[in-house]
Amino acid sequence: MSQELTLQQRLEALAGPDPLRRAVNEAVAALAQASIEISDLTCRGALAGITGQARGRNTDGDVQKDLDVRADDIIRAALGRLPIAVLASEEMADLDILNANAPISVAFDPLDGSSNINTNMSVGTIFSIMPTPSDASAAFTQPGSAQLAAGFVVYGPQTSLVLTLGQGVDIFTLDRDSREYKLTGSTVQIPPNATEFAINASNRRHWDLPVRAYIDECLMGADGMGGKDFNMRWIGSLVAEAFRILIRGGIFLYPGDARHGYEEGRLRLVYEAHPMAFIIEQAGGGATTGRQRVLDLVPRTLHQRVPLIMGSIKNVQRLEHMHTAPDVALETNAPLFGHRGLFRV
Ligand code: AFP
């Protein structure tokens, strides 16, 4: 019989008597329960009618898959029973104001990585919990540093819940026999230095100079300024990349680029970058746009995109240096700036 603490026991231990903390814990417990239902669907795939078929587009034009919609419904049903002021979802155009006087508000991406569903790759759910301001409609125009809690679930070989309540990062693994999350990692810390980067390298020609300089430095490996060889990963699922970084370090980059519509990258500030940044910083890592700390950013609109670079703190700091140092191109001898000359068409 395993002795690991359950999520419920861990939440009880961390909450104490504070009513706001208890409201946060109730929401986390409801999200966890919803994620178990979503996990039951993802692990059955086509047998549960999950085909990855497009069901239309959400309000921001992203293709909506069948499980995106079902996951959104499951989460809304789970949270709808609680005293929550505002719900915000990637799948819905506007805020859902339920009970403006309730103490907390929840934003979520019900199914991140959904383009992977029918290829049997890991997908996930991401959530962010904010205190409700006096004007509830402003719940998600607060800086990321105002978050009370953030988490994500990876529906992969294991179903894992990653959670921060602002007191470090815990990892829980779903025990399928008892259908409970059990604590399998506490006070997780990201290795400060890493030799693994994650970026969609097919977009290289669209990147800004600092990003190209950083990645080319990684590609130069031990022959370049970085002085060490790198490995590369790109899963196309933010939750899977984030989980790997929490376990073994690394740097993830989804920068803005020259493609139309990608000037601010692809990821959403409110329900992807803010929660991820909270978790990564709580685990000793860094999360930046390249020029600004993500948790300092105040959203202008609900579905606003933002460049997101996160992971091992030394690697993130190197990338930030390349965004702010003058003549960065001259600092590296990467292929772009080395023997092939400064500009390569
Ligand atoms: P989907 O949810 O549309 O699959 O997008 C997933 C995602 O937002 C994020 O999880 C990935 O890191 C990123 O997009 C992959 O983007 P590219 O397909 O442009 O590489």
Side-chain angles (χ1 to χ4, degrees), residues 7 28-42 71 74-75 78 110 125 127 152-155 159-161 174 176 179 181:
L7 172 65
V28 170
L31 287 159
Q33 204 50 48
S35 73
I36 295 173
E37 206 177 328
I38 295 168
S39 176
D40 289 344
L41 290 174
T42 55
I74 290 168
I75 292 171
T125 296
F127 62 88
F152 64 89
V153 181
V154 186
Y155 308 110
T159 289
S160 299
L161 168 66
L174 178 62
R176 288 205 172 277
R179 292 178 70 77
Y181 279 106

Side-chain angles (χ1 to χ4, degrees), residues 67-122:
L67 191 54
D68 283 313
V69 176
R70 290 176 73 176
D72 189 73
D73 292 344
I74 290 168
I75 292 171
R76 285 173 176 283
L79 294 176
R81 299 187 279 268
L82 297 178
I84 289 174
V86 181
L87 286 184
S89 166
E90 179 175 49
E91 303 312 324
M92 303 298 283
D94 302 310
L95 299 175
D96 222 349
I97 298 185
L98 304 175
N99 170 1
N101 299 316
I104 60 171
S105 293
V106 182
F108 56 94
D109 178 359
L111 205 81
D112 172 68
S114 54
S115 56
N116 292 318
I117 293 174
N118 50 335
T119 61
N120 199 20
M121 298 286 286
S122 296

